[in-house]
Amino acid sequence: MEKSLCMLPAVLFLGLLTHSAAALINTPAPTKSYALINYTTTTRPTLNWTEAVKGESRDGTTPATAEPDIFTTTVRDKQLDTTDTSKERNKKEKDPRDRKTEDDKSKLDCPPLGLESLRVDDSQIQASSYQRSGLGPHRGRLNIQSGIEDGDLYDGAWCAEYKDRHQWLEVDALHLTLFTGVILQGRNSIWSWDWVETYKVQMSNDSVTWHTSMNGTQEALFEGNQNPETPVLGLLPVPTVARFIRINPQTWYSNGTVCLRAEILGCRVHDPSDIYSAHESGSKDALDFRHHNYKEMRKLMKSVTEECPDITRVYTIGRSYMGLKLYVMEISDNPGKHEIGEPEFRYVAGMHGNEALGRELVLNLMQYMCKEYKKGNQRIVRLVTETRIHLLPSMNPDGYEEAYVKGSELSGWAEGRYSFEGIDLNHNFPDLNNIMWDTEEKAADKSKVPNHYIPIPEYYTKEDATVAPETRAVISWMQDIPFVLSANLHGGELVVTYPFDCTRDWAPQEDTPTADNAFFRWLASVYASTNLVMANPDRRICHYEEFQSHNNIINGGAWHTVPGSMNDFSYLHTNCFEVTVELSCDKFPHVSELPIEWENNKESLLVYMEQVHRGIKGVVRDKLTKKGIADAIIKVEDHDHDIRSATDGDYWRLLNPGEYKVIVWAVGYFPSMRRCNVGMEPNPTICDFILTKTPIQRLKEIRAKGGKIPQDLQLRLRALRLRKLRASTKAINRRREGQRMRRARSSQAWKA
């Protein structure tokens, strides 16, 4: 068998090398060739580009060849996602700001093998040595996170036992692969600082004979990391076809040891002699599977409304700090109007800007529902006609744009997580939990303590309060629409969490159930049990926490305390029940993973929405006028959490199957009680209530005896605080808009 590297014929060249070339310490002249290692079959292999371009080029055209630039020493900000090559997009003139982003993107990159996304199994990763099991080769995955303690089974990197240049981390791609690059990261640890500063790359077809990646006539030396967390990309000078690849560290941080996390870039090569080379299927749904920046997201949402104008509407709920609008897609048979008896549902994604999968799933969902509604899919038709659905794909657009510039593999674990102001939006809502618990501790009769519609605290309404504009917008949105059920889509784990997220007495971890714990567990289980990855009993844990023994659901406080979460606020301040879904181990999956992730989550997204129809619903009306009574309190016996009727008097109370005693009352009316039975089917039981006004003579008697007419002071205080919050938000927005206009005028004057 030929041992030396041989060059593939020029016909194999498909223009893979990008404008941002490999991170090499040596800088050779550019080359257009590929290398093929030890390949002796009579039939030439062909490159399978499906994974790299799936869902990207919808017109069937072949992407143009990209000429490589001179190699540079570092590539940290390169966007790995393939750019959109659709005819429609090429026809439209790009904004100059977008041209720079497009220039930074590669025209056609091979996707990651899947170390981060876990598509690469632990058995495919080996190493020359390792310090202990918790630092074994299976831990050498890009962005893998360690626990708080070093020394356990789940540390944050592969670390070699010896500090010499003979150490290596090896990945078996299982099939012939065109290897194009390596992404390297240091060790994730609170206590240790370890990273590789330079390394070599070796490849093989049999894991016995190895060939080092060459840079001209010299062995290529790649630049690694300068800190533990920033991913650094190294592109091979000559993309090479092989099955195995090794990362061979040469130098490392002087006060550390040989530790790394990695991802490998490579395109599958079709080998006719490989009887096991069947490719994984993606999705049969014809959706726009790619990562959408702000402008592309707007275009997609506009295209959906144009395709389905009768059931869709796009509206905005506010702006981000940088002035980007928070767009919402409404899907309903009567968009723009609340219909009595029809529950309101929402999905919120992108609270953390770098957790991009939720954003794309919500965009996929709006496309899918539009297309399936037009086809007459009865399940979708029923959802659209019986539910008013609101989809917010990006709550933190500023953070997403920051992560998008770096790309799916190079944004790291936290780039773009926070708002522009550095605020974690999932800790930015009012902490109503401790207000309620403190009041309960001081109260002589706990039954008198409000358990719902708790007002926003006074300090939170001030102009100088640390409240992000995105948070203010969502709070105002919650007041305008009587949401019943919601899910907050995150990424970085595979688990569904339910309230309370905040623990009592600031315990770091403690199971902290709500009065509706049983129903919240049902909601979480519905999503987790239908998610194809979560439901897989053989799946590997993402980082260091094992959720499968809990059926992939957990109380938020039992995982880790989150004061000021949107879930808790939604439950205590409004009628809406909300859970958090951690969708994937990989926060920002590569574009090639999006069709698979859609299939993993499609059924879960649909079946979770259908749960809005469980429990009881009805209308609370005045006996004489027959008009709906707003803000009537609906109390279920043995459930220490009440809800309120909406403006038209309609209400929805989510409940598990069973028989319930329900009491309804409102200011100026006698209470009313009835028993309501909830069945097993996801169809609500109708429980209407007719309330009789308190007679005027009775009110006179109460006043004559020196008594006071009952007043809903809590409701009045809640409304007052909301008005103050909206007033301060308006003042802040006016001030920021004035600043933006002054900056724009200054910029124009400077250009002139």
Side-chain angles (χ1 to χ4, degrees):
M1 183 179 289
E2 178 91 358
K3 300 295 182 183
S4 61
L5 292 174
C6 59
M7 305 307 294
L8 276 176
V11 69
L12 278 181
F13 177 63
L14 297 179
L16 180 71
L17 296 181
T18 66
H19 288 293
S20 299
L24 293 177
I25 288 180
N26 301 307
T27 56
T31 175
K32 291 186 180 180
S33 301
Y34 292 139
L36 180 66
I37 296 178
N38 298 341
Y39 194 80
T40 58
T41 72
T42 56
T43 307
R44 294 187 186 277
T46 58
L47 298 181
N48 173 24
W49 300 98
T50 306
E51 290 185 345
V53 298
K54 189 179 294 179
E56 294 290 75
S57 183
R58 294 182 296 280
D59 59 1
T61 59
T62 302
T65 300
E67 293 293 331
D69 289 343
I70 300 297
F71 296 117
T72 57
T73 55
T74 60
V75 184
R76 288 189 175 84
D77 298 332
K78 181 175 167 294
Q79 165 67 276
L80 292 180
D81 293 346
T82 51
T83 57
D84 176 38
T85 56
S86 65
K87 291 179 179 178
E88 178 185 354
R89 188 155 184 253
N90 285 337
K91 286 178 182 178
K92 297 184 179 181
E93 184 178 352
K94 291 185 174 67
D95 187 283
R97 291 171 296 182
D98 293 333
R99 292 196 188 103
K100 183 181 185 301
T101 303
E102 293 298 323
D103 290 343
D104 290 341
K105 291 183 181 181
S106 53
K107 300 303 179 188
L108 183 64
D109 273 308
C110 284
L113 294 189
L115 276 78
E116 181 178 11
S117 67
L118 304 186
R119 292 183 71 182
V120 173
D121 189 74
D122 286 351
S123 62
Q124 295 172 243
I125 313 174
Q126 299 184 41
S128 53
S129 65
Y130 52 92
Q131 294 179 14
R132 58 177 182 274
S133 178
L135 292 168
H138 64 292
R139 302 296 295 174
R141 299 172 180 270
L142 188 72
N143 284 323
I144 203 165
Q145 301 294 294
S146 69
I148 295 176
E149 300 293 333
D150 282 353
D152 59 15
L153 294 176
Y154 306 109
D155 221 316
W158 160 67
C159 290
E161 183 177 4
Y162 308 105
K163 295 171 64 172
D164 60 46
R165 295 183 178 181
H166 303 295
Q167 305 306 305
W168 44 261
L169 181 74
E170 176 183 318
V171 178
D172 179 3
L174 298 181
H175 308 278
L176 284 178
T177 300
L178 179 70
F179 293 116
T180 60
V182 171
I183 300 174
L184 220 60
Q185 215 175 16
R187 177 182 177 182
N188 176 255
S189 171
I190 297 175
W191 314 106
S192 304
W193 275 43
D194 303 292
W195 59 81
V196 169
E197 294 182 337
T198 60
Y199 62 98
K200 295 181 179 180
V201 175
Q202 301 167 339
M203 283 153 287
S204 172
N205 272 343
D206 55 11
S207 193
V208 175
T209 304
W210 292 88
H211 298 273
T212 302
S213 176
M214 301 298 290
N215 179 16
T217 59
Q218 298 179 334
E219 293 184 347
L221 188 64
F222 295 84
E223 184 176 349
N225 303 103
Q226 299 299 318
N227 62 64
E229 293 299 330
T230 305
V232 177
L233 168 67
L235 292 177
L236 304 188
V238 181
T240 304
V241 175
R243 172 176 166 177
F244 301 89
I245 187 169
R246 279 182 179 177
I247 301 170
N248 173 214
Q250 297 297 297
T251 60
W252 43 90
Y253 177 51
S254 58
N255 293 328
T257 188
V258 180
C259 294
L260 63 86
R261 294 173 287 168
E263 183 60 88
I264 306 297
L265 305 182
C267 290
R268 175 80 169 274
V269 175
H270 176 62
D271 179 6
S273 67
D274 184 358
I275 62 175
Y276 302 106
S277 63
H279 300 298
E280 292 186 26
S281 59
S283 174
K284 294 180 181 179
D285 296 323
L287 308 178
D288 188 6
F289 293 116
R290 60 190 171 98
H291 287 292
H292 298 79
N293 65 14
Y294 178 72
K295 291 188 69 175
E296 292 163 346
M297 180 187 73
R298 289 196 309 177
K299 290 177 184 177
L300 185 145
M301 295 176 75
K302 184 174 183 291
S303 71
V304 173
T305 59
E306 290 172 348
E307 185 176 354
C308 295
D310 295 335
I311 63 166
T312 61
R313 178 177 73 104
V314 174
Y315 64 97
T316 64
I317 61 172
R319 290 178 181 267
S320 70
Y321 183 87
M322 295 301 291
L324 302 182
K325 292 182 179 180
L326 306 185
Y327 287 104
V328 178
M329 168 75 75
E330 177 191 343
I331 301 178
S332 168
D333 62 339
N334 195 0
K337 180 182 179 183
H338 171 73
E339 298 179 72
I340 295 179
E342 187 171 287
E344 308 264 0
F345 177 93
R346 71 170 183 257
Y347 273 128
V348 176
M351 172 178 271
H352 294 145
N354 63 330
E355 295 169 14
L357 178 57
R359 176 191 181 105
E360 296 308 322
L361 289 178
V362 168
L363 295 176
N364 293 155
L365 181 62
M366 59 182 71
Q367 297 172 71
Y368 177 80
M369 294 191 72
C370 169
K371 294 176 185 296
E372 293 301 306
Y373 182 86
K374 291 175 66 177
K375 292 178 184 177
N377 181 326
Q378 286 305 297
R379 184 184 191 185
I380 301 303
V381 170
R382 189 163 51 250
L383 268 172
V384 171
T385 56
E386 298 178 0
T387 319
R388 191 179 180 209
I389 300 164
H390 305 260
L391 306 176
L392 172 59
S394 187
M395 181 179 168
N396 180 9
D398 295 347
Y400 177 82
E401 293 300 300
E402 181 183 355
Y404 178 83
V405 170
K406 293 292 183 71
S408 61
E409 311 310 310
L410 296 178
S411 58
W413 188 250
E415 188 94 27
R417 172 186 175 90
Y418 305 102
S419 72
F420 184 85
E421 299 170 279
I423 297 173
D424 187 333
L425 300 183
N426 203 33
H427 292 261
N428 197 225
F429 287 80
D431 176 10
L432 305 183
N433 304 58
N434 284 289
I435 292 175
M436 180 180 68
W437 294 330
D438 290 346
T439 306
E440 286 177 348
E441 289 180 3
K442 297 172 184 176
D445 184 358
K446 290 186 178 181
S447 65
K448 302 295 184 182
V449 176
N451 59 31
H452 72 293
Y453 265 41
I454 298 175
I456 295 170
E458 178 71 24
Y459 76 86
Y460 198 86
T461 66
K462 305 294 185 182
E463 287 188 35
D464 58 354
T466 307
V467 185
E470 298 87 349
T471 309
R472 292 172 180 268
V474 170
I475 290 176
S476 184
W477 184 39
M478 289 179 177
Q479 314 299 324
D480 293 336
I481 298 175
F483 290 113
V484 179
L485 182 61
S486 173
N488 185 7
L489 306 182
H490 285 242
E493 257 298 350
L494 279 167
V495 67
V496 184
T497 72
Y498 53 90
F500 285 122
D501 291 331
C502 182
T503 60
R504 288 177 180 259
D505 303 318
W506 305 103
Q509 286 179 307
E510 184 179 69
D511 187 51
T512 313
T514 66
D516 290 284
N517 192 58
F519 192 80
F520 271 119
R521 288 181 59 83
W522 166 259
L523 288 174
S525 297
V526 162
Y527 199 102
S529 63
T530 53
N531 180 280
L532 298 185
V533 180
M534 291 188 202
N536 180 5
D538 300 321
R539 75 170 179 87
R540 181 193 187 280
I541 67 170
C542 288
H543 301 285
Y544 57 90
E545 293 177 288
E546 197 275 307
F547 294 111
Q548 287 159 292
S549 60
H550 303 284
N551 296 316
N552 302 296
I553 70 172
I554 192 170
N555 172 263
W559 186 15
H560 58 266
T561 186
V562 182
S565 77
M566 186 164 71
N567 288 7
D568 289 1
F569 177 80
S570 182
Y571 182 68
L572 292 175
H573 188 70
T574 75
N575 293 329
C576 187
F577 287 29
E578 181 173 277
V579 302
T580 291
V581 183
E582 299 284 350
L583 294 162
S584 170
C585 302
D586 189 349
K587 288 185 175 184
F588 201 143
H590 187 268
V591 65
S592 62
E593 303 276 355
L594 295 181
I596 300 168
E597 291 292 359
W598 165 247
E599 290 300 320
N600 290 341
N601 287 277
K602 177 169 66 174
E603 177 61 22
S604 304
L605 291 166
L606 295 174
V607 74
Y608 184 82
M609 282 194 290
E610 292 168 340
Q611 304 314 301
V612 76
H613 296 286
R614 288 196 177 273
I616 62 175
K617 76 172 186 177
V619 182
V620 183
R621 289 189 171 92
D622 183 288
K623 184 177 181 178
L624 294 177
T625 66
K626 307 302 182 185
K627 292 182 178 180
I629 300 173
D631 297 312
I633 295 176
I634 293 88
K635 183 175 183 63
V636 178
E637 190 175 55
D638 300 325
H639 283 65
D640 192 21
H641 181 78
D642 306 333
I643 65 164
R644 302 255 183 169
S645 59
T647 304
D648 297 317
D650 46 348
Y651 77 92
W652 306 263
R653 182 56 164 96
L654 300 176
L655 293 166
N656 281 326
E659 185 177 326
Y660 299 93
K661 179 181 176 181
V662 183
I663 302 170
V664 174
W665 70 274
V667 173
Y669 291 87
F670 286 121
S672 177
M673 186 277 289
R674 63 176 295 186
R675 293 190 177 275
C676 305
N677 187 67
V678 178
M680 298 295 293
E681 295 299 319
N683 298 311
T685 299
I686 307 299
C687 281
D688 293 328
F689 288 86
I690 303 295
L691 299 189
T692 303
K693 276 190 176 182
T694 306
I696 296 176
Q697 183 60 36
R698 175 60 180 155
L699 297 178
K700 289 180 178 178
E701 291 174 2
I702 293 174
R703 291 193 183 99
K705 293 179 181 180
K708 293 184 178 180
I709 305 301
Q711 297 291 328
D712 199 337
L713 298 178
Q714 178 192 349
L715 187 65
R716 292 171 63 183
L717 180 60
R718 181 179 181 273
L720 174 63
R721 295 277 173 78
L722 176 61
R723 287 197 297 271
K724 287 186 174 182
L725 180 68
R726 285 176 166 170
S728 65
T729 301
K730 280 186 178 180
I732 292 170
N733 289 343
R734 283 197 299 267
R735 187 165 61 248
R736 286 178 181 158
E737 185 62 28
Q739 291 170 350
R740 276 194 290 267
M741 292 178 65
R742 285 193 294 273
R743 283 197 298 267
R745 285 196 295 266
S746 298
S747 177
Q748 292 174 358
W750 183 82
K751 289 179 180 178

